[in-house]
Amino acid sequence: MLDYVLLVTGLGLLLVGGDVLVKGAVGLAERLQVPALIIGLTIVAFGTSAPELFISIQAALAGAPGIAIGNVVGSNIANVLLVMGLPALIAASRCDDAGIGRNILVMIGFTAVFMIMLLDQLVSRVEGIILLILLLLFLYDQWCCAARANTDAAADIHEEVGETPSSMPLIFALLAIGLIALPFGANLTVESASAIARRWDVSEDVIGLTIVAIGTSLPELATTVMATLRSSNSIAIGNVVGSNIFNIGSIMGIAPIIAPMAASGRIVYVDMWVMLACALLLAGLAHWKIKIGKRVGTVMITAYTLYVAAAFVT
């Protein structure tokens, strides 16, 4: 029972730590008069992937690569089927915002590169560096596109992260809380998830693909639900696409540099193909401008439920 309590506690610390760290970092950047566009493309984007990043780093240090890679692959699957499917039961949305199709193609490209790296069941340090370079190129491209479009980046930031502090003591307090909570929560999560995997006699991959992935996808789910309720489709869909790109580019870029990550046969032969199918599904919805309403949402939730159930059975 203690392991389950520690797992919930660890995930809770990750969610709270990631949220307050982003708010503190955005508040500090605004006080330093950093352009809103740079804040949105760096601090907010990296911050929403902070739980997955700290989980993967801790898993790499603890010698549990199954949780690290499983968390990234599982989060990308959950982001499409769960994070897009569940809000659709509340209000319909479409993948037809300007520029979203281009970013979905980038997401598919990152997914394909990552899959090629997984074929030998090892993500090396060199491959991690390659993913980081690709992410930096993507960020530069986003900067150029956003600068040309002259979008109201400040408004988009606060729609996504909410109100941010302006008081320096509060900013530093939030940064301190986030920087303490994230590694501590990651350690609790990895240790308890590994113990639960041993108790259930399932692989660490399965725990990373399901329980840990769902837990670390909760910030994206909360953001997407709120954006859907406000009819902010660009925030909702962009949040999922951006998170999937950052999960691969930053997390699988940084973690293997700390320690090369070994992937199991299950992830190579099954789960990474499910991840690709989810990316292609999102591309199809965008290309044909299909409304993601209750019917499509129900299908997506059902598919995700069956995927999770199959992960524990097989």
Side-chain angles (χ1 to χ4, degrees):
M1 188 64 187
L2 179 60
D3 288 328
Y4 300 102
V5 173
L6 292 176
L7 178 62
V8 172
T9 303
L11 289 171
L13 287 171
L14 285 169
L15 300 181
V16 173
D19 183 57
V20 299
L21 183 66
V22 170
K23 283 182 167 59
V26 171
L28 178 61
E30 289 178 331
R31 281 294 299 268
L32 297 176
Q33 297 184 336
V34 176
L37 182 57
I38 294 178
I39 296 173
L41 289 176
T42 56
I43 297 172
V44 175
F46 276 105
T48 54
S49 293
E52 288 94 337
L53 177 59
F54 275 82
I55 282 285
S56 296
I57 290 174
Q58 178 60 36
L61 294 172
I67 291 178
I69 296 180
N71 182 34
V72 170
V73 174
S75 289
N76 281 20
I77 294 170
N79 281 347
V80 175
L81 297 181
L82 182 63
V83 175
M84 290 299 299
L86 193 58
L89 303 181
I90 303 171
S93 63
R94 290 182 184 274
C95 299
D96 58 359
D97 295 279
I100 192 66
R102 187 167 179 270
N103 283 350
I104 289 176
L105 288 178
V106 172
M107 178 184 70
I108 293 173
F110 268 83
T111 302
V113 171
F114 182 41
M115 289 175 66
I116 291 170
M117 292 177 175
L118 286 175
L119 288 177
D120 63 354
Q121 297 186 230
L122 180 71
V123 182
S124 67
R125 288 187 172 91
V126 172
E127 289 170 332
I129 292 170
I130 291 171
L131 288 174
L132 275 180
I133 291 172
L134 291 175
L135 180 62
L136 290 175
L137 291 174
F138 168 71
L139 287 175
Y140 176 73
D141 177 70
Q142 289 290 96
W143 159 264
C144 293
C145 291
R148 284 196 300 268
N150 194 27
T151 55
D152 187 3
D156 288 346
I157 289 170
H158 289 286
E159 276 193 50
E160 187 168 348
V161 304
E163 292 299 316
T164 54
S166 57
S167 164
M168 289 304 289
L170 181 56
I171 287 172
F172 284 118
L174 292 179
L175 289 173
I177 292 170
L179 291 172
I180 293 171
L182 280 168
F184 188 56
N187 182 63
L188 282 180
T189 302
V190 170
E191 292 296 327
S192 57
S194 298
I196 290 170
R198 290 191 295 269
R199 181 170 293 108
W200 288 356
D201 196 25
V202 297
S203 67
E204 291 177 344
D205 306 59
V206 171
I207 299 298
L209 286 161
T210 55
I211 296 174
V212 176
I214 292 171
T216 55
S217 291
L218 289 178
E220 286 88 350
L221 179 60
T223 300
T224 304
V225 168
M226 293 307 298
T228 301
L229 290 174
R230 293 193 300 261
S231 299
S232 301
N233 286 358
S234 60
I235 296 292
I237 297 162
N239 178 50
V240 168
V241 174
S243 178
N244 282 12
I245 292 171
F246 270 84
N247 281 349
I248 295 173
S250 65
I251 298 169
M252 282 294 102
I254 294 171
I257 293 175
I258 297 171
M261 316 248 51
S264 70
R266 176 202 161 84
I267 287 179
V268 173
Y269 297 119
V270 179
D271 302 294
M272 74 176 191
W273 296 100
V274 177
M275 177 178 64
L276 176 63
C278 290
L280 294 175
L281 170 64
L282 205 56
L285 293 173
H287 179 73
W288 286 292
K289 295 180 170 57
I290 298 173
K291 182 174 73 173
I292 307 176
K294 287 184 172 62
R295 289 183 180 178
V296 175
T298 300
V299 171
M300 295 171 85
I301 294 297
T302 302
Y304 186 68
T305 303
L306 292 174
Y307 167 74
V308 171
F312 282 96
V313 173
T314 55

